[in-house]
Structure formats: structure tokens, C-alpha cells
Amino acid sequence: MKAVDAVIIGYGWTGAIMAKELTDAGLSVLVLERGPARDTSPDFEYPRIADELKHAVRGDLWHPLARETFTIRHKRGDTAVPYRQYGTIVLGTGTGGAGAHWNGQQWRASPNDLRLRSAYEERYGKKFIPSDMTIQDYGISFEELEPHFDHFEKVGGVAGSAGNLRGKLVDGGNPFEGARSSPYPNRPMAPILSSQLFAKAARELGYQPFPVPAANSTSAYTNPYGVRMGPCNLCGFCEGFGCFLYSKASPQTTILPVLKGRANLEVRHNAYVTRILLDGGGKLATGVRYVDANGREVDQPAALVVLAAFQLNNVRMLLLSGIGQPYDPVSGKGTVGKNYAYQMVSSTSAFFGQEVHMNPFVGAGAAGQQAIDEFNADHFDHARMGFVGGAMIFAGATGGRPIVQMPLPPDAPQWGSGWKSAVRRHYAHSSSVATMGSVMAYRDRYLDLDPTYRDAHGLPLLRMTFDWHPNEYRMTAFASERAGEIVRAMRPQRVSQHVLRPGDSYDTRVYQSSHTTGGAIIGSDPSNSVLNRYSQCWDVPNVFVFGASSFPQNIGYNPTGLVGALTYFAAAKIRSSYLKSGGPLVQA
């Protein structure tokens, strides 16, 4: 094919951001997306998008696992087996990627999340961090990222309440957040009843609840690109669904409209990239190879390669392409595949009397939710806790869809007339409080290529080696106890809790979040990371990698806000320096 200035692999959030930034800079850009073309109209039109069975259960917008998946094992020496049925995480595909059907909780990282190892060593001493815990600093400060957090929030029309505005604490917001340069672009969503009860109970216990930042516009809004968004009507169909009201921030509702018709941008769908092509010395990318919709193998030359796929797919692409040294957990050498992490989530359900009407069908992915952040990151004294990290605790419905969103007491029948009776009794009179816990990186938790299983094109699948560590069991026990105290203060008739405890192995059948991280991490040195602070490959400087694959460990928030900020931060440096000189970008 004819050479282009830049080729982008994937058309989700990071791919859309980079397509905008690079075409603005005048480059000829080609986007290769493995899935189909999708837009608000006709793909997300009402009423057919509001089909829970089709989308939230059968995953019509998700990537088909029969063509490509990954394998999982708990520890080295085990035989990994393929992830064949959706449970633990969901993989997006098509225009918008998972950003088309995410929940929309858009958090910033805490300042000490970005320098985690340094922060803990300075406060508690080096011995506080277990020897097998391989956590690292990002090499980027919160202050450097703040303008890019701010811009991404304005692009998405995020609704929220500032807690730290230019260093001054503001009532009603998150008092633990880093200093913001400006307020959220939209007022926060009004709290639904479950969130009101949570906030009241949290305040009675001395905590400071605040609205969860929601990438759901609460008013008619025009973003910095001139794209208009409509107000959310709390339809309850966010997670697993595209938004038919142009209210939930997604590539389709925020960025892609301004890219349509650009002469220097081409998008090819159903293009399955199989590798990044390198020159004879392996130090420069010359383009990519992909399989098109007709099954033909195509080589696409490009001067710049942007890897903007899902976290797992980013790592697999680097391994398949021979970029960087694969991580070896025995020697601890190598970087590609290092520091894989997931999240540990717990839930506490509250069951109220018939006089308390929750109206769970009124909701959105982050609609009216309230949270406390006292026990996240290093916002509290860990000295006697015996664990690193923490969790954000939040309440509120993401919808009231009757197939998969029906919390029932643990003694309720699982099927038949007894189950139906329990659903009638509790559906409209229950709520849930969740903890979103961080997970640290460890020497024995990593990603590599599976020696046995292959995809539909004969390429090795990615293999995940992962299970929980004692640190996370202690973290979730502590956070869940705090959540339970708040729920009991809400005064329900009954309470039930689901918390992972020592002996509970990682279970791929149970969904917690799709927040997987690591494997192509950012760092300050080629010996401990795949990427420099500008998301540029140390080994192949004309390859940039964007997504949660760059996180050195997982945080106690949803990752999208940090993913977007890191992408905009790198894009600014690419435009100001790399496109002028090429080659490795300096750290400063």
C-alpha cells in the first residue's frame, strides 16, 4: 500500500485522540480497526439499543472470543486455558472500542498514585513494600498531567463537583483530589435515592461524600472541538450499550464528528493487524501487516506507528512484533509483559422494606453516584495496616436492568417460583455499595505468548499468569469493613456482602471490572519499562503505545481519565518535538 505518515492501530478513545492530534498537525493518518464501523446513528438508535439480552448478556458490541481471546493460569507451572465465555472482563471492538459501551466514570489519578513507590518509601520506609512487589513510579507528576486531565474532561463534558480548585478546598467535592485548574464543565448529576442514603450515612460517620465524576452531560453542552452533547435522561443503559442521546462521552459523541471528511485521514475497518513491521536492525518500525475483510494479507508502510488497542492487545502486539525484551519472572529481566494487574472489587447489598422505593431503572453508568475517597491511594495512614494501596467506596445504580442487575439476599432461591418471588420482593427496594480497589504489581504476575493456543489466523494467544496476593486480601477486607459500616448506617432491613478472602482464587467467571493494566509500562529507564514518559518505545522510537497497558500498577479508580490524560500529554510532546526532530524524546 501507499505509505502514510502515521498508522494507528485501534479506534477507541486513544486512537480517536491521536487521530485528531496527528491530523491537526497535518500528517496523513490511517486508522486500522479490527471491528466494524459503528456510529450513534444507526447503530445505537432507540429502541433497539436498549436490548439487555442482546448487548449486556450476549455482548453484541463485544469482541467475539471464538476468533481471538487470551489464556489464563494462576501461577507458573500451571497449564493456561482459553477464556471462552465472557465473565471477568469485557473486550471491546469496532469504532469506539470499549469507550462506546463503558459506564462513564471518569476519575483523575491521585497525585501519590503517580509516584507510588517513592511516596510509600518516603512515608513508611523501604521495608514496608514487600520484596516481590514490583510497583514503580510513572516518572510523570500530577502537575504535569493536570492540564491534560482538564482538557479530557472538557472534551467529554464530564459532570462533577470540584474538591480542590487551584489549591483551595471546596465543599461538596473530593477533598483528596489533586489541585484542579478549573471546575468540571458540567454540574454534577443529581443523587438518586440510594446515593442520598449513602451520603447521609457517610456524613454521620464523619466522612466527606461527593458526586462521582460522570462522563454523562447534565445539560446541552458543546465541547472544545465544537461537538454538541445532549443532557442525559437516566435511561439506565450505559454499561454494555452505546448512547442514543449523545449524552455519554464516547469517541462517537466527542471526537469522531470533527474527523469525518478530513482529507488526511482514512479509516479501514475489519482490519486485523498481525504485527508491526521493523527494519533489518529491528530498531525502526516501517509499518504494519494486517489481514483485511477479504482475508488478504496487507503490508502498510508508515513513518510512525501508534498502538492504541485494548491493554491486553497492546502487549500481545509488541510480543508478536518482537519489540522490546519479553519479561522473564525467574530472572526479573525484560519488560514486555511485566507488571500485569487487575482490580479487586467488593460489594455490600442493602435490602430495604417495601416502603423504600429505589426506582433502580432510573440511572446511568455514573448517574447520581456518591463516593468517599478517605481509604484510597495513600489518603490514610498505612503504617499499621499491613498493605499497600486502597479503594474508592461508592454507591448508586448504574441502571436497573432486570436480567443482570437484581441483587438478592444470599438465601434467596436461584431459580423457579421462589426466585421470581424474591425478585418481586427486592428489585425496587435494594441498593449496593461497592469498593473499587487497587491491585499492586508482582514479580510473578505477568503476560506472555501462549505456547499452545492460537487465534483464527494462527498467531499465539496472549497468556495471563495472575492470582491475588495477601496484600490485596488485606486491602479489600479493610475497605469492605468501612463500606459495611456505611451500609448499616443506612438502616436497611438486611445486609449481605461479597468480599474476596484468602483462599479465593481469581475466578474468571465473575465480572468485577474490565480495568486490566500493565504489560507495556511507563518508566524512567529502559531496564524497568517498555515506554518512556511520553509513551514512546525505548527500543523502537517511532512506535508509541497508549492505554492502560502503560500503568505500572492498578489504581483504586476507573482508568479512563488517566488513560486520556497520558495520551494528550504524549500527543503534545509528539507535536512539539518528535515531529520536528524524530528519534527518542528526552525525559525533561
Side-chain angles (χ1 to χ4, degrees):
M1 305 296 289
K2 181 181 178 181
V4 295
D5 294 328
V7 62
I8 299 173
I9 304 169
Y11 212 26
W13 270 122
T14 60
I17 291 170
M18 290 306 298
K20 172 75 166 57
E21 293 292 323
L22 295 179
T23 54
D24 281 353
L27 273 64
S28 60
V29 177
L30 170 66
V31 177
L32 299 174
E33 166 55 50
R34 69 176 179 178
R38 293 196 180 108
D39 207 344
T40 306
S41 178
D43 302 282
F44 306 152
E45 289 176 351
Y46 188 83
R48 64 172 176 266
I49 191 61
D51 184 333
E52 185 183 7
L53 182 62
K54 180 178 181 180
H55 296 292
V57 178
R58 294 175 178 164
D60 188 67
L61 300 180
W62 305 343
H63 184 71
L65 297 177
R67 295 194 59 80
E68 179 199 350
T69 183
F70 55 95
T71 67
I72 308 175
R73 61 181 182 173
H74 286 136
K75 63 181 183 298
R76 289 184 64 249
D78 289 353
T79 299
V81 294
Y83 180 57
R84 298 189 185 275
Q85 183 173 334
Y86 275 113
T88 179
I89 63 173
V90 168
L91 304 174
T93 195
T95 309
H101 50 79
W102 69 313
N103 255 334
Q105 297 183 23
Q106 188 164 320
W107 294 86
R108 298 181 173 196
S110 178
N112 55 39
D113 279 327
L114 299 172
R115 54 185 309 272
L116 191 68
R117 177 170 283 275
S118 294
Y120 275 85
E121 288 181 349
E122 291 166 6
R123 187 172 182 181
Y124 309 110
K126 292 185 177 181
K127 292 184 179 180
F128 188 80
I129 300 174
S131 59
D132 64 339
M133 188 180 285
T134 55
I135 60 176
Q136 296 182 188
D137 295 351
Y138 281 70
I140 310 168
S141 70
F142 177 86
E143 290 72 23
E144 290 176 293
L145 282 182
E146 199 284 329
H148 307 287
F149 280 122
D150 183 73
H151 179 64
F152 191 37
E153 289 167 356
K154 288 181 169 63
V155 168
V158 176
S161 182
N164 184 340
L165 191 56
R166 294 181 285 276
K168 182 179 180 180
L169 295 184
V170 181
D171 288 343
N174 182 1
F176 298 96
E177 70 176 354
R180 307 173 56 87
S181 58
S182 63
Y184 284 98
N186 270 301
R187 66 180 185 276
M189 305 191 94
I192 55 179
L193 179 58
S194 57
S195 294
Q196 294 175 34
L197 296 175
F198 170 86
K200 180 176 182 295
R203 277 191 288 269
E204 289 173 353
L205 294 173
Y207 303 133
Q208 300 177 72
F210 57 90
V212 169
N216 297 79
S217 181
T218 51
S219 63
Y221 174 76
T222 302
N223 77 5
Y225 300 150
V227 180
R228 295 181 177 182
M229 301 176 69
C232 174
N233 77 344
L234 305 179
C235 74
F237 289 88
C238 275
E239 185 177 27
F241 307 86
C243 181
F244 63 90
L245 284 168
Y246 300 84
S247 305
K248 182 180 71 174
S250 67
Q252 284 91 338
T253 60
T254 60
I255 301 175
L256 301 188
V258 301
L259 297 181
K260 291 180 179 179
R262 288 199 172 184
N264 59 337
L265 175 65
E266 180 186 356
V267 182
R268 298 177 194 161
H269 289 91
N270 301 303
Y272 188 89
V273 179
T274 58
R275 70 183 301 113
I276 297 169
L277 302 173
L278 304 177
D279 66 4
K283 297 299 182 182
L284 193 70
T286 60
V288 302
R289 179 170 295 161
Y290 70 95
V291 179
D292 70 11
N294 297 313
R296 296 174 299 187
E297 200 169 61
V298 180
D299 282 1
Q300 174 61 58
L304 174 65
V305 176
V306 174
L307 184 47
F310 184 70
Q311 173 267 333
L312 295 172
N313 299 327
N314 280 346
V315 179
R316 180 173 181 245
M317 186 59 60
L318 294 173
L319 291 169
L320 290 175
S321 304
I323 296 175
Q325 182 181 353
Y327 174 68
D328 178 9
V330 177
S331 67
K333 296 181 178 180
T335 56
V336 183
K338 172 186 174 182
N339 282 29
Y340 172 78
Y342 187 37
Q343 277 188 318
M344 185 173 276
V345 178
S346 72
S347 62
T348 305
S349 296
F351 301 95
F352 294 87
Q354 298 293 292
E355 74 282 359
V356 180
H357 296 277
M358 291 296 178
N359 293 332
F361 46 84
V362 178
Q369 294 177 0
Q370 293 273 313
I372 64 167
D373 216 20
E374 276 85 348
F375 305 109
N376 201 3
D378 195 31
H379 301 162
F380 60 104
D381 189 353
H382 284 73
R384 290 181 293 275
M385 294 300 171
F387 64 83
V388 175
M392 173 263 297
I393 303 174
F394 69 103
T398 62
R401 300 182 293 276
I403 299 179
V404 297
Q405 292 189 308
M406 291 184 298
L408 295 176
D411 58 355
Q414 297 299 300
W415 63 287
S417 59
W419 173 81
K420 293 178 182 179
S421 178
V423 169
R424 283 195 298 270
R425 167 68 180 80
H426 296 290
Y427 171 77
H429 312 287
S430 62
S431 65
S432 181
V433 171
T435 70
M436 181 74 72
S438 61
V439 169
M440 298 300 107
Y442 298 90
R443 181 167 178 155
D444 60 352
R445 301 297 180 247
Y446 63 100
L447 304 169
D448 65 355
L449 293 178
D450 192 278
T452 304
Y453 292 97
R454 296 177 177 267
D455 67 8
H457 299 287
L459 299 171
L461 297 181
L462 189 70
R463 179 171 62 179
M464 176 194 299
T465 302
F466 181 77
D467 206 349
W468 310 114
H469 273 245
N471 181 83
E472 280 62 49
Y473 291 122
R474 289 192 288 268
M475 178 279 299
T476 199
F478 173 80
S480 300
E481 186 175 350
R482 308 287 83 73
E485 292 170 351
I486 296 173
V487 170
R488 287 189 289 274
M490 293 165 63
R491 297 174 178 82
Q493 290 183 346
R494 297 187 64 183
V495 175
S496 70
Q497 197 167 54
H498 175 73
V499 183
L500 292 170
R501 306 184 189 282
D504 293 332
S505 294
Y506 173 47
D507 189 341
T508 63
R509 299 167 298 177
V510 179
Y511 184 80
Q512 292 193 98
S513 76
S514 293
H515 307 158
T516 58
T517 62
I521 65 175
I522 282 179
S524 58
D525 189 272
S527 67
N528 64 17
S529 56
V530 178
L531 311 174
N532 65 20
R533 69 202 306 258
Y534 301 111
S535 299
Q536 181 184 35
C537 284
W538 292 108
D539 293 346
V540 184
N542 65 333
V543 172
F544 290 79
V545 184
F546 298 104
S549 51
S550 68
F551 292 15
Q553 53 275 329
N554 217 331
I555 57 178
Y557 302 108
N558 303 58
T560 305
L562 180 54
V563 167
L566 289 169
T567 306
Y568 277 115
F569 174 75
K573 188 68 173 181
I574 291 170
R575 294 184 62 178
S576 67
S577 299
Y578 177 82
L579 296 182
K580 296 177 181 178
S581 61
L585 292 169
V586 296
Q587 285 295 93

